[in-house]
Amino acid sequence: MDEYIFNVDNGYLEGLVRGFRSGILARGDYLNLVQCETVEDLKVQLQATDYGNFLQNEPSPVPVAVIDEKLRGHLVVEFQHIRNHSVPPLSTFLDYVTYSYMIDNIILLITGTLHQRQIGELRSKCHPLGSFEEMESVNIANTPAELYSAVLVDTPLGPYFKTCISQTDLDELNIEIIRNALYKAYLEDFYKFCQDIGGTTAEVMGEILQFEADRRAFIITINSFGTELTMDDREKLYPTCGRLHPEGLARLAKCEDYDHVKAVADFYPEYSAVFAGAGTNPGEKTLEDKFFEKEVEIT
Amino acid sequence: MEEQLEVETRRQVCVELDRVLVELMDCLERLATLRGRLSREVSEGYFNMAKSRYSMGPLSVGQLQYDSVMAPTCLVEVDDEEAPGNQDPDETTPAANKTTETGLAPSHTVFRVFRPTYSGDGEGDGRGRGGGEEEEEGGVRRRRPHTGEAEPRGEGVEEVERRRDGGEGSEGKAAVKNPLNWFGVLVPQALRQSQKHFIRVTGVCVELATEQSRLETLRRHFTTLRYRKQQLSENS
């Protein structure tokens, strides 16, 4: 029955997305880009793609930061167009996509404020998809409690902040804990939302979010070796919506070096393959590279 | 008799000239090696920083993460008490004469790097103890850390006792905050590797400065000896 009324809410957007899908850069486009020797060549090659004349009004030579900004701006315009034409549950789903960028922006603003950077300078570096109205007030907070009560309580990230208020001040360790705790709460909430929708959404997004949760658990564990983060604090940052929950996460929490982590990954065939080819020698792919490849494979 | 003395002196000057020339060539070779090492370490450091930007995001490793005003964690000690200073190569100074007779080259300015242990290091990250052999070659002074663990001693490494009064402790603690933590506590291994490479770069730079100073001193000494030899040839 839903198929008859699908086009009422989603027909236009599905057509748009199919068009965007065909405009994604293919292997041939990348081969052309690799052949470029100057930024001007790059501009000409990109004009032939769906990006079009996005750099037309920029004076040469174009800095890399401007190209990055303009490319991202192109994506943001398309995303916001889809978001503006969507209704629940698609609008809620798209909002969830923006929350990860919001978290990154908040952390960037807090860190920049701690280092006496001007709010205008920080604001221009924030990701546009993660913008929210109260962003510029982040610099007034000195403790997580102030940050919550003054800024975040009315934002979509408010509910995720409850676990972070117990921190007493904003130093590097606590900011890292806040970042990862926010992301954990967001990921678990997003996973629950997708499962509640059910159907293809639950199946496809479930796999993606489980992989993301497990990847974060592995990376947090490996990067925490030799730092002030204790094993108990580390365990609290693991998202629990992945395949590793609960036994894998319990084992990861007790790991003391890279080999222990690799031993935990060996219990899961999809992750043992990722760890198998990774290394730090020149010419080898790093663990992050292998995780990126796996992510592309899944999506 | 006087002629024999002059011949003997000229012979000594020639021997000293040969010795200084060989030393000059050795110094140049060491300089070239150090420059190669510096270039490799800097490129590895920047490459690892680029890798960490790739995994953390382009804005995660940049100017926004640190203060515009900061205190240095690394100090360079300059020891030039025995340096010959600005010698005019056209004049035969007593110092040059003395070195000709004794066969010893004048001393050059020595640079040493002074790097305390970073606070907040976990279990034996060893950053303060790291760079082992390279630091020993540069002549490094290290403070014994508060943990009182036995530091491995090597040649050329001087241990300096840390005073335990509160002022020194608190001042020392503020000065040794690890810059790696500007970018977060859970940073990727690539960024840690980048820091290690740049720490080695400071050591190599200091060694380069010492060798450069030594080269300049040897060059001046060589010029002085040649002038002396020329004078002796004219007098005979």
Side-chain angles (χ1 to χ4, degrees):
Chain A
M1 188 63 192
D2 286 340
E3 288 82 8
Y4 291 103
I5 56 171
F6 177 81
N7 274 345
V8 175
D9 291 332
N10 302 311
Y12 168 59
L13 294 175
E14 194 204 351
L16 265 185
V17 168
R18 284 180 188 273
F20 293 149
R21 167 69 179 86
S22 63
I24 292 176
L25 297 185
R27 185 176 291 274
D29 295 314
Y30 282 116
L31 284 173
N32 289 338
L33 289 173
V34 163
Q35 305 293 329
C36 295
E37 292 185 6
T38 65
V39 175
E40 292 305 315
D41 290 344
L42 194 82
K43 266 172 82 168
V44 167
Q45 287 296 334
L46 286 174
Q47 274 173 7
T49 66
D50 272 19
Y51 285 103
N53 298 328
F54 73 111
L55 288 176
Q56 199 174 16
N57 298 328
E58 297 299 321
S60 293
V62 186
V64 174
V66 169
I67 297 178
D68 179 54
E69 190 188 322
K70 291 289 180 192
L71 286 170
R72 188 175 305 121
H74 200 264
L75 169 73
V76 169
V77 163
E78 290 176 358
F79 183 90
Q80 283 177 344
H81 183 77
I82 294 178
R83 172 63 185 84
N84 292 337
H85 285 83
S86 60
V87 293
L90 178 61
S91 55
T92 318
F93 180 88
L94 293 174
D95 287 339
Y96 270 107
V97 170
T98 63
Y99 294 166
S100 67
Y101 299 104
M102 274 188 207
I103 293 171
D104 289 339
N105 285 349
I106 287 172
I107 299 301
L108 184 76
L109 289 170
I110 293 173
T111 313
T113 307
L114 276 182
H115 295 125
Q116 281 89 45
R117 296 287 170 185
Q118 296 300 318
I119 191 69
E121 186 187 355
L122 298 170
R123 182 70 181 84
S124 63
K125 297 281 192 291
C126 289
H127 199 290
L129 277 182
S131 294
F132 55 97
E133 285 171 6
E134 297 85 350
M135 262 174 75
E136 300 205 9
S137 323
V138 164
N139 61 332
I140 64 171
N142 294 317
T143 67
E146 277 180 32
L147 185 66
Y148 175 73
S149 57
V151 182
L152 297 182
V153 63
D154 293 325
T155 66
L157 299 180
Y160 304 147
F161 213 73
K162 287 176 192 156
T163 54
C164 310
I165 301 177
S166 56
Q167 310 297 333
T168 50
D169 59 10
L170 293 170
D171 62 12
E172 279 109 359
L173 180 64
N174 288 338
I175 287 175
E176 194 70 39
I177 291 175
I178 289 171
R179 182 212 305 266
N180 288 289
L182 278 177
Y183 206 91
K184 168 190 154 87
Y186 151 69
L187 212 57
E188 288 169 359
D189 195 31
F190 195 6
Y191 182 79
K192 183 174 176 303
F193 172 76
C194 293
Q195 296 301 309
D196 289 345
I197 291 180
T200 316
T201 306
E203 190 185 323
V204 172
M205 288 306 298
E207 191 182 352
I208 293 171
L209 293 172
Q210 280 177 349
F211 170 76
E212 184 61 26
D214 294 336
R215 173 167 76 169
R216 287 193 73 83
F218 280 124
I219 297 294
I220 285 171
T221 310
I222 289 170
N223 289 346
S224 67
F225 296 142
T227 67
E228 300 167 335
L229 197 67
T230 62
M231 286 184 186
D232 291 334
D233 284 341
R234 186 169 85 196
E235 193 173 6
K236 289 177 195 159
L237 302 180
Y238 295 150
T240 54
C241 55
R243 287 203 183 92
L244 290 175
H245 179 68
E247 293 90 11
L249 292 183
R251 285 174 196 267
L252 268 184
K254 296 185 180 59
C255 288
E256 292 176 358
D257 60 28
Y258 183 83
D259 292 327
H260 290 169
V261 175
K262 198 166 176 195
V264 172
D266 286 340
F267 287 107
Y268 302 87
E270 58 271 21
Y271 301 129
S272 67
V274 169
F275 276 79
T280 51
N281 299 324
E284 275 186 318
K285 288 185 183 165
T286 63
L287 195 62
E288 281 92 354
D289 292 335
K290 298 285 288 185
F291 273 125
F292 274 131
E293 283 180 3
K294 178 92 181 140
E295 180 186 1
V296 169
E297 206 180 287
I298 289 174
T299 53
Chain B
M1 188 67 179
E2 281 186 10
E3 273 184 25
Q4 274 184 342
L5 201 62
E6 270 189 26
V7 165
E8 186 56 29
T9 309
R10 200 162 73 229
R11 193 189 69 79
Q12 280 180 348
V13 169
C14 289
V15 164
E16 179 66 7
L17 259 176
D18 289 343
R19 190 193 67 79
V20 169
L21 187 63
V22 168
E23 216 172 305
L24 203 67
M25 293 298 134
D26 286 340
C27 190
L28 278 171
E29 192 183 350
R30 277 195 298 274
L31 257 180
T33 311
L34 281 171
R35 286 207 175 108
R37 217 168 99 195
L38 179 73
S39 147
R40 277 194 306 276
E41 293 287 352
V42 166
S43 66
E44 283 294 319
Y46 277 121
F47 182 62
N48 279 307
M49 197 187 289
K51 274 165 72 167
S52 59
R53 276 206 180 102
Y54 174 65
S55 55
M56 291 167 74
L59 295 175
S60 305
V61 181
Q63 259 188 349
L64 299 177
Q65 274 73 35
Y66 53 82
D67 289 353
S68 49
V69 177
M70 59 181 81
T73 57
C74 194
L75 300 172
V76 174
E77 185 189 15
V78 180
D79 184 4
D80 58 359
E81 285 174 356
E82 295 176 5
N86 295 323
Q87 288 184 3
D88 189 343
D90 294 330
E91 292 178 12
T92 52
T93 62
N97 282 338
K98 187 179 174 184
T99 54
T100 306
E101 287 164 13
T102 61
L104 293 173
S107 296
H108 54 276
T109 310
V110 174
F111 299 88
R112 292 190 188 93
V113 70
F114 184 81
R115 187 181 300 124
T117 313
Y118 289 132
S119 65
D121 273 354
E123 300 168 358
D125 189 8
R127 203 167 287 114
R129 299 191 291 270
E133 288 175 5
E134 291 92 322
E135 288 185 26
E136 288 170 11
E137 286 168 10
V140 176
R141 284 183 179 182
R142 287 202 307 260
R143 280 177 171 168
R144 194 167 299 149
H146 279 307
T147 56
E149 294 171 12
E151 290 278 346
R153 276 179 172 266
E155 288 183 10
V157 175
E158 298 177 36
E159 295 281 347
V160 176
E161 278 292 338
R162 197 168 190 171
R163 284 189 291 133
R164 291 180 176 264
D165 56 294
E168 173 70 3
S170 60
E171 184 186 343
K173 193 176 177 182
V176 298
K177 206 170 177 190
N178 191 346
L180 196 67
N181 291 337
W182 294 340
F183 308 105
V185 173
L186 300 177
V187 292
Q189 297 302 320
L191 200 63
R192 291 181 202 278
Q193 289 298 323
S194 177
Q195 186 187 41
K196 283 184 183 150
H197 283 296
F198 282 118
I199 285 173
R200 281 190 217 127
V201 161
T202 51
V204 171
C205 282
V206 160
E207 284 178 49
L208 254 178
T210 307
E211 279 304 314
Q212 190 77 31
S213 156
R214 190 156 174 265
L215 180 78
E216 198 50 40
T217 309
L218 282 170
R219 192 190 61 77
R220 279 201 296 269
H221 187 41
F222 184 78
T223 311
T224 310
L225 284 172
R226 275 185 65 183
Y227 181 72
R228 176 84 177 124
K229 180 184 171 185
Q230 195 181 358
Q231 274 192 321
L232 287 169
S233 303
E234 282 169 2
N235 290 344
S236 62

